[in-house]
Amino acid sequence: MLRRGRFAPTPSGQLHIGNAFTALCSWLQIRQAGGQFLLRIEDIDKLRSRPALAEQMQEDLQWLGLDWDEGPGIGGPFGPYEQSRRELLYDKALERLKADGLTYPCYCSRADLARIASAPHGLSSEGEAYPGLCRHLTDEERRAKEAVKTPSLRFRMPDDPISFVDGITGTQTYGAETLGDFVVKRADGMFSYQLAVTVDDSAMGITDVLRGSDLLDSTPRQLALYGALGRKPPRFSHIPLLVDADGNRFSKRDKSLSLTALRAEGVAPERLSGLIGYLAGWLDHLEPVPAQALIPRFHTKRLNKRLIPVSGEQLRWLRSR
Ligand code: GLU
């Protein structure tokens, strides 16, 4: 079967070296397999997304040596490749979930949820597990709440634990109590990441999702959606996050380590791909190596951990000429 993978950035900031690591790994996995790679811009949150950043991201990825068979601008059979232009598809999926009784309106505000101190600690990508307050409201209670607040819509998670085999971190099992019912459409009308990404990966025929381990705990939620929508899930692999010498994740706020800043500084892209290749265990020592040359060397054997530290010395090497 032809394998299909993707990189799916949110254009709310500049790509940083952690994003480059994810993009490169997902690209290498698919290029090594002779599959098709696509770029999808996850701009569903219109307030946080900037078209100029989406353009810049594409230039940054090309600078790094990546290419894609389908994506914004070049198109492809499963377009559009921007989430902001795919809302009809999300709506259709939501209608199906609703018709099957798998959603319910939720009137809780963030403040309400924050007050429930006893809520079990949920998982990082979604925050606290929702304790199900609005799951069993009577029609009468719903009508009363409806009069004062526009609800969000939550997906009813199955009560059974969800297990899957991650391509890198192995078998993962999540009990229903750690997951909770999650929002599929916010009160302001925005579709959630979980719904949009599931609909898109499925509609775009993605066979391999490779992404950062910060999204590991989104996977059981997305698997529940695949099940509810009657679609076959892809294989998921979650790679470690890069962290600095103090153990902090690189973030879109660290402007000096953005790909755009490195480019402007005159850093050679082969240095960044070489550094990543070294951190991932594909190279024995730090050396500039173009992305293309890493295709035969890619493997995930040494990626079975949550974090990879990047030292100050390695960052200095990256920026040296
Ligand atoms: N858009 C998400 C992000 O930028 C990634 C989604 C995914 O790979 O599933 O973090």
Side-chain angles (χ1 to χ4, degrees), residues 6-11 19 22 40 42 83 193 197 201 209-212 214-215 222 252:
R6 49 51 159 203
F7 181 58
T10 302
N19 301 125
T22 307
R40 182 173 69 232
E42 301 216 318
Q83 288 191 328
Y193 156 71
V197 81
D201 283 335
V209 169
L210 186 154
R211 58 188 175 195
D214 52 331
L215 290 168
Q222 291 168 18
K252 287 177 177 157

mmCIF file of all heavy atoms in Angstrom, residues 6-11 19 22 40 42 83 193 197 201 209-212 214-215 222 252, ligand 1:
data_model
loop_
_atom_site.group_PDB
_atom_site.id
_atom_site.type_symbol
_atom_site.label_atom_id
_atom_site.label_comp_id
_atom_site.label_asym_id
_atom_site.label_seq_id
_atom_site.Cartn_x
_atom_site.Cartn_y
_atom_site.Cartn_z
ATOM 1 N N ARG A 6 2.192 13.383 6.494
ATOM 2 C CA ARG A 6 1.945 14.832 6.406
ATOM 3 C C ARG A 6 2.678 15.583 7.493
ATOM 4 O O ARG A 6 3.039 15.029 8.546
ATOM 5 C CB ARG A 6 0.446 15.121 6.451
ATOM 6 C CG ARG A 6 -0.416 14.463 7.548
ATOM 7 C CD ARG A 6 0.035 14.599 8.910
ATOM 8 N NE ARG A 6 -0.971 14.400 9.925
ATOM 9 C CZ ARG A 6 -0.868 14.915 11.158
ATOM 10 N NH1 ARG A 6 0.202 15.583 11.516
ATOM 11 N NH2 ARG A 6 -1.798 14.689 12.056
ATOM 12 N N PHE A 7 2.882 16.877 7.239
ATOM 13 C CA PHE A 7 3.284 17.799 8.292
ATOM 14 C C PHE A 7 2.160 18.822 8.336
ATOM 15 O O PHE A 7 1.693 19.282 7.289
ATOM 16 C CB PHE A 7 4.633 18.444 7.974
ATOM 17 C CG PHE A 7 5.103 19.398 9.043
ATOM 18 C CD1 PHE A 7 5.268 18.975 10.348
ATOM 19 C CD2 PHE A 7 5.384 20.727 8.736
ATOM 20 C CE1 PHE A 7 5.696 19.863 11.345
ATOM 21 C CE2 PHE A 7 5.816 21.613 9.719
ATOM 22 C CZ PHE A 7 5.971 21.170 11.027
ATOM 23 N N ALA A 8 1.713 19.138 9.551
ATOM 24 C CA ALA A 8 0.481 19.935 9.661
ATOM 25 C C ALA A 8 0.654 21.081 10.657
ATOM 26 O O ALA A 8 0.087 21.062 11.742
ATOM 27 C CB ALA A 8 -0.666 19.010 10.086
ATOM 28 N N PRO A 9 1.434 22.088 10.302
ATOM 29 C CA PRO A 9 1.699 23.165 11.268
ATOM 30 C C PRO A 9 0.545 24.146 11.430
ATOM 31 O O PRO A 9 -0.257 24.325 10.509
ATOM 32 C CB PRO A 9 2.911 23.883 10.654
ATOM 33 C CG PRO A 9 2.773 23.662 9.184
ATOM 34 C CD PRO A 9 2.139 22.295 9.033
ATOM 35 N N THR A 10 0.484 24.746 12.590
ATOM 36 C CA THR A 10 -0.475 25.818 12.870
ATOM 37 C C THR A 10 0.259 27.154 12.672
ATOM 38 O O THR A 10 1.262 27.387 13.355
ATOM 39 C CB THR A 10 -0.956 25.710 14.335
ATOM 40 O OG1 THR A 10 -1.540 24.418 14.504
ATOM 41 C CG2 THR A 10 -1.972 26.787 14.682
ATOM 42 N N PRO A 11 -0.202 27.993 11.775
ATOM 43 C CA PRO A 11 0.553 29.225 11.484
ATOM 44 C C PRO A 11 0.283 30.343 12.494
ATOM 45 O O PRO A 11 -0.196 31.417 12.151
ATOM 46 C CB PRO A 11 0.070 29.603 10.081
ATOM 47 C CG PRO A 11 -1.317 29.063 10.014
ATOM 48 C CD PRO A 11 -1.369 27.846 10.888
ATOM 49 N N ASN A 19 10.003 22.160 15.688
ATOM 50 C CA ASN A 19 9.096 21.887 14.561
ATOM 51 C C ASN A 19 9.875 21.292 13.381
ATOM 52 O O ASN A 19 9.375 20.423 12.667
ATOM 53 C CB ASN A 19 8.411 23.161 14.054
ATOM 54 C CG ASN A 19 7.589 23.868 15.114
ATOM 55 O OD1 ASN A 19 7.791 25.050 15.366
ATOM 56 N ND2 ASN A 19 6.689 23.143 15.756
ATOM 57 N N THR A 22 10.297 17.624 13.895
ATOM 58 C CA THR A 22 9.077 16.875 13.556
ATOM 59 C C THR A 22 8.868 16.815 12.046
ATOM 60 O O THR A 22 8.572 15.755 11.486
ATOM 61 C CB THR A 22 7.841 17.544 14.199
ATOM 62 O OG1 THR A 22 8.092 17.711 15.586
ATOM 63 C CG2 THR A 22 6.596 16.714 14.001
ATOM 64 N N ARG A 40 -0.222 20.378 5.270
ATOM 65 C CA ARG A 40 -1.564 20.906 5.556
ATOM 66 C C ARG A 40 -1.414 22.053 6.549
ATOM 67 O O ARG A 40 -0.731 21.911 7.571
ATOM 68 C CB ARG A 40 -2.436 19.803 6.147
ATOM 69 C CG ARG A 40 -3.853 20.270 6.419
ATOM 70 C CD ARG A 40 -4.744 19.117 6.846
ATOM 71 N NE ARG A 40 -4.408 18.601 8.153
ATOM 72 C CZ ARG A 40 -4.187 17.320 8.429
ATOM 73 N NH1 ARG A 40 -4.260 16.406 7.488
ATOM 74 N NH2 ARG A 40 -3.891 16.952 9.659
ATOM 75 N N GLU A 42 -2.850 24.157 9.387
ATOM 76 C CA GLU A 42 -3.922 24.002 10.377
ATOM 77 C C GLU A 42 -4.319 25.373 10.935
ATOM 78 O O GLU A 42 -3.996 25.725 12.069
ATOM 79 C CB GLU A 42 -3.489 23.002 11.453
ATOM 80 C CG GLU A 42 -3.172 21.645 10.811
ATOM 81 C CD GLU A 42 -3.532 20.431 11.615
ATOM 82 O OE1 GLU A 42 -3.289 20.429 12.825
ATOM 83 O OE2 GLU A 42 -4.061 19.464 11.021
ATOM 84 N N GLN A 83 -7.061 24.222 6.608
ATOM 85 C CA GLN A 83 -8.245 23.856 7.383
ATOM 86 C C GLN A 83 -9.329 24.923 7.334
ATOM 87 O O GLN A 83 -10.511 24.607 7.401
ATOM 88 C CB GLN A 83 -7.850 23.572 8.837
ATOM 89 C CG GLN A 83 -7.088 22.261 8.975
ATOM 90 C CD GLN A 83 -6.920 21.814 10.404
ATOM 91 O OE1 GLN A 83 -6.808 22.643 11.308
ATOM 92 N NE2 GLN A 83 -6.883 20.510 10.618
ATOM 93 N N TYR A 193 -9.524 21.172 17.269
ATOM 94 C CA TYR A 193 -8.364 20.491 16.654
ATOM 95 C C TYR A 193 -8.642 19.003 16.491
ATOM 96 O O TYR A 193 -8.399 18.426 15.430
ATOM 97 C CB TYR A 193 -7.122 20.724 17.533
ATOM 98 C CG TYR A 193 -6.057 19.668 17.352
ATOM 99 C CD1 TYR A 193 -5.312 19.593 16.174
ATOM 100 C CD2 TYR A 193 -5.824 18.702 18.338
ATOM 101 C CE1 TYR A 193 -4.357 18.595 15.987
ATOM 102 C CE2 TYR A 193 -4.875 17.717 18.161
ATOM 103 C CZ TYR A 193 -4.148 17.663 16.988
ATOM 104 O OH TYR A 193 -3.222 16.665 16.803
ATOM 105 N N VAL A 197 -8.515 17.522 12.755
ATOM 106 C CA VAL A 197 -7.349 16.724 12.369
ATOM 107 C C VAL A 197 -7.775 15.296 12.000
ATOM 108 O O VAL A 197 -7.241 14.697 11.061
ATOM 109 C CB VAL A 197 -6.280 16.765 13.492
ATOM 110 C CG1 VAL A 197 -6.588 15.799 14.600
ATOM 111 C CG2 VAL A 197 -4.890 16.509 12.956
ATOM 112 N N ASP A 201 -7.038 13.928 8.314
ATOM 113 C CA ASP A 201 -6.122 12.804 8.096
ATOM 114 C C ASP A 201 -6.866 11.664 7.407
ATOM 115 O O ASP A 201 -6.329 10.995 6.528
ATOM 116 C CB ASP A 201 -5.502 12.334 9.426
ATOM 117 C CG ASP A 201 -4.387 13.277 9.894
ATOM 118 O OD1 ASP A 201 -3.785 13.965 9.043
ATOM 119 O OD2 ASP A 201 -4.115 13.320 11.108
ATOM 120 N N VAL A 209 0.822 8.962 10.715
ATOM 121 C CA VAL A 209 0.926 10.252 11.408
ATOM 122 C C VAL A 209 2.165 10.186 12.284
ATOM 123 O O VAL A 209 2.252 9.330 13.173
ATOM 124 C CB VAL A 209 -0.321 10.521 12.272
ATOM 125 C CG1 VAL A 209 -0.099 11.705 13.195
ATOM 126 C CG2 VAL A 209 -1.542 10.758 11.387
ATOM 127 N N LEU A 210 3.127 11.043 12.000
ATOM 128 C CA LEU A 210 4.306 11.127 12.869
ATOM 129 C C LEU A 210 4.346 12.555 13.380
ATOM 130 O O LEU A 210 4.346 13.503 12.590
ATOM 131 C CB LEU A 210 5.579 10.784 12.086
ATOM 132 C CG LEU A 210 6.862 10.694 12.926
ATOM 133 C CD1 LEU A 210 7.882 9.766 12.271
ATOM 134 C CD2 LEU A 210 7.488 12.059 13.160
ATOM 135 N N ARG A 211 4.330 12.726 14.711
ATOM 136 C CA ARG A 211 4.280 14.075 15.274
ATOM 137 C C ARG A 211 4.925 14.067 16.650
ATOM 138 O O ARG A 211 5.376 13.025 17.135
ATOM 139 C CB ARG A 211 2.824 14.554 15.333
ATOM 140 C CG ARG A 211 1.942 13.651 16.152
ATOM 141 C CD ARG A 211 0.470 14.033 16.027
ATOM 142 N NE ARG A 211 -0.379 13.087 16.737
ATOM 143 C CZ ARG A 211 -1.679 12.997 16.575
ATOM 144 N NH1 ARG A 211 -2.321 13.796 15.733
ATOM 145 N NH2 ARG A 211 -2.374 12.112 17.262
ATOM 146 N N GLY A 212 4.954 15.237 17.294
ATOM 147 C CA GLY A 212 5.627 15.367 18.580
ATOM 148 C C GLY A 212 4.875 14.660 19.698
ATOM 149 O O GLY A 212 3.645 14.516 19.652
ATOM 150 N N ASP A 214 4.045 15.659 22.449
ATOM 151 C CA ASP A 214 3.053 16.484 23.150
ATOM 152 C C ASP A 214 1.645 16.137 22.672
ATOM 153 O O ASP A 214 0.670 16.476 23.351
ATOM 154 C CB ASP A 214 3.328 17.987 22.955
ATOM 155 C CG ASP A 214 3.478 18.386 21.494
ATOM 156 O OD1 ASP A 214 3.914 17.550 20.680
ATOM 157 O OD2 ASP A 214 3.146 19.536 21.174
ATOM 158 N N LEU A 215 1.533 15.459 21.533
ATOM 159 C CA LEU A 215 0.202 15.106 21.018
ATOM 160 C C LEU A 215 -0.139 13.635 21.240
ATOM 161 O O LEU A 215 -1.183 13.158 20.794
ATOM 162 C CB LEU A 215 0.099 15.476 19.535
ATOM 163 C CG LEU A 215 0.075 16.998 19.299
ATOM 164 C CD1 LEU A 215 0.259 17.335 17.828
ATOM 165 C CD2 LEU A 215 -1.224 17.605 19.818
ATOM 166 N N GLN A 222 -8.541 10.942 19.218
ATOM 167 C CA GLN A 222 -8.743 10.871 17.770
ATOM 168 C C GLN A 222 -9.162 9.459 17.353
ATOM 169 O O GLN A 222 -10.007 9.294 16.477
ATOM 170 C CB GLN A 222 -7.473 11.336 17.049
ATOM 171 C CG GLN A 222 -7.267 12.834 17.263
ATOM 172 C CD GLN A 222 -5.909 13.367 16.848
ATOM 173 O OE1 GLN A 222 -5.180 12.732 16.093
ATOM 174 N NE2 GLN A 222 -5.553 14.547 17.350
ATOM 175 N N LYS A 252 7.332 28.667 19.863
ATOM 176 C CA LYS A 252 7.221 29.680 18.814
ATOM 177 C C LYS A 252 7.621 31.055 19.347
ATOM 178 O O LYS A 252 7.853 31.966 18.590
ATOM 179 C CB LYS A 252 5.797 29.687 18.265
ATOM 180 C CG LYS A 252 5.541 28.460 17.393
ATOM 181 C CD LYS A 252 4.127 28.367 16.880
ATOM 182 C CE LYS A 252 3.992 27.137 15.967
ATOM 183 N NZ LYS A 252 2.653 26.639 15.850
HETATM 184 N N1 GLU B 1 -1.304 21.555 14.043
HETATM 185 C C1 GLU B 1 -0.696 20.859 15.119
HETATM 186 C C2 GLU B 1 0.452 21.673 15.673
HETATM 187 O O1 GLU B 1 0.963 22.567 14.997
HETATM 188 C C3 GLU B 1 -0.155 19.492 14.724
HETATM 189 C C4 GLU B 1 -1.231 18.552 14.445
HETATM 190 C C5 GLU B 1 -0.823 17.120 14.255
HETATM 191 O O2 GLU B 1 0.298 16.843 13.790
HETATM 192 O O3 GLU B 1 -1.668 16.279 14.521
HETATM 193 O O4 GLU B 1 0.856 21.426 16.789
#
